Amino acid sequence: MSDTKYEPADIEVYIKNKGLVLRERSLIAYQHSDGKILAVGTEAEQIAQQKRDGVVVVSPLRRGMIADYRAAVRMFRIMLERTWGKRRFRKPHIVVCGVAPDITEVEKKALEDLVLQLGAREVTFYDGGYETFSKDMTAHQPGKPAEYDIFIRIAKYVPERYVAEAIGDILQYARRQGISADRVGALLQEVQSDGAAEY
């Protein structure tokens, strides 16, 4: 059994003074029977392609936001242990970028809580990429290095796949309401026409 459920994002983890140390897909594979984690990232993607019986592969992120909180915690914890290690004596300051621009305050709070649960002492959200982070922080605090330990980027390189995912959600809702796919297509054309008429 295999179910990727949502289009996975790409997770990048940067460590201060080291740069990029991990780039993985936001996927986690586990046994359906007991919840035992088998793999995360690329390894989980390979397992999904094998379609093993009794194995579930999911992306706990949906369009860059948390869809499955418990699975997201487990996935990020494994990724951080691979890069930061189990430094129980020191809680890192984690910067997160790449969150969806239309993220709600509730969704943002859920993401912040998740990062704190991973052991962070502080969470900072940033709109830019890793390359601009240090420059921006230095510009705001001249002579003072950017204060962070870990920089996590939730990258979305395939916007068309996210659009396809959203359309899939619409089609599922329409099916439950007894609306045909052809009618949904016609409605999309009407919406597009109405939008064009406004300009």
Side-chain angles (χ1 to χ4, degrees):
M1 177 169 53
S2 176
D3 179 15
T4 52
K5 200 168 183 179
Y6 302 123
E7 174 64 26
D10 292 291
I11 306 298
E12 297 176 352
V13 179
Y14 299 78
I15 301 295
K16 189 173 184 178
N17 299 324
K18 289 184 179 180
L20 180 66
V21 295
L22 180 143
R23 179 185 286 123
E24 288 284 9
R25 302 287 274 163
S26 65
L27 292 169
I28 183 168
Y30 61 91
Q31 291 183 169
H32 184 263
S33 59
D34 58 10
K36 180 183 177 182
I37 297 174
L38 302 176
V40 300
T42 304
E43 292 178 5
E45 190 169 38
Q46 293 171 349
I47 290 175
Q49 294 168 355
Q50 296 168 7
K51 298 185 178 181
R52 300 185 194 174
D53 290 338
V55 174
V56 179
V57 181
V58 299
S59 172
L61 303 182
R62 184 181 190 190
R63 297 166 206 158
M65 295 177 284
I66 298 171
D68 185 329
Y69 189 90
R70 183 168 178 268
V73 169
R74 299 173 84 189
M75 180 188 74
F76 278 111
R77 178 167 286 130
I78 291 171
M79 290 181 177
L80 290 181
E81 285 181 354
R82 287 181 181 176
T83 56
W84 180 250
K86 297 181 179 181
R87 308 185 196 186
R88 305 302 183 195
F89 60 91
R90 182 184 173 194
K91 293 188 174 184
H93 173 191
I94 298 179
V95 179
V96 180
C97 87
V99 296
D102 57 347
I103 188 172
T104 66
E105 286 302 315
V106 172
E107 291 166 333
K108 190 172 183 179
K109 182 64 167 60
L111 182 55
E112 181 181 12
D113 289 345
L114 181 148
V115 178
L116 290 172
Q117 187 172 334
L118 293 173
R121 74 173 186 276
E122 183 179 351
V123 182
T124 299
F125 290 98
Y126 180 67
D127 291 334
Y130 175 77
E131 294 76 14
T132 60
F133 177 72
S134 293
K135 293 179 182 178
D136 283 356
M137 295 301 101
T138 302
H140 286 98
Q141 301 176 345
K144 185 178 181 180
E147 293 183 355
Y148 78 101
D149 298 297
I150 302 171
F151 189 101
I152 298 175
R153 180 172 184 245
I154 303 171
K156 298 177 286 294
Y157 295 134
V158 283
E160 287 190 3
R161 297 291 293 274
Y162 286 94
V163 172
E165 181 183 295
I167 293 173
D169 289 345
I170 292 172
L171 289 172
Q172 286 184 12
Y173 175 79
R175 193 177 302 116
R176 291 195 297 270
Q177 301 302 317
I179 302 171
S180 70
D182 288 341
R183 179 54 186 155
V184 172
L187 289 170
L188 287 172
Q189 290 290 338
E190 290 175 17
V191 171
Q192 185 178 19
S193 298
D194 290 343
E198 293 177 2
Y199 292 96

